[in-house]
Amino acid sequence: QICFDANGNGSEIMRATDGTSCEGPLTGRIGSGRLTMREPGNLQCDNGAEIFRRDITCALDAQGTARCDTFQPEINGRGTATLRRAGR
């Protein structure tokens, strides 16, 4: 779950399939048809683990789904993720 205020300041919560929850702040910006997000530090998990900080860049595909590329500078880690808007 990722939420932003009008100024692009936000928070995120990630929940693993084993029930572990990881939370922290992030900032976001929309420009040139892309959403970019940056975590200021590692994401802290309730089991004592951490997820290394990520820089995330997303673009909408033809179906309106946000396809995101993630980069973890500290470990040169790369990955992908798909975001969807939560129902209200």
Side-chain angles (χ1 to χ4, degrees), residues 16-76:
T17 55
D18 69 358
T20 300
S21 180
C22 306
E23 300 184 30
L26 79 162
T27 56
R29 182 177 50 182
I30 295 176
S32 301
R34 297 191 180 277
L35 167 65
T36 56
M37 297 176 277
R38 185 174 193 281
E39 298 166 335
N42 294 346
L43 207 57
Q44 303 298 313
C45 302
D46 60 10
N47 67 354
E50 295 179 328
I51 297 174
F52 285 110
R53 184 185 77 74
R54 296 169 296 169
D55 295 323
I56 305 161
T57 303
C58 306
L60 290 179
D61 65 15
Q63 290 76 37
T65 302
R67 306 288 179 185
C68 306
D69 294 316
T70 66
F71 175 61
Q72 295 170 296
E74 291 77 8
I75 60 170
N76 199 31

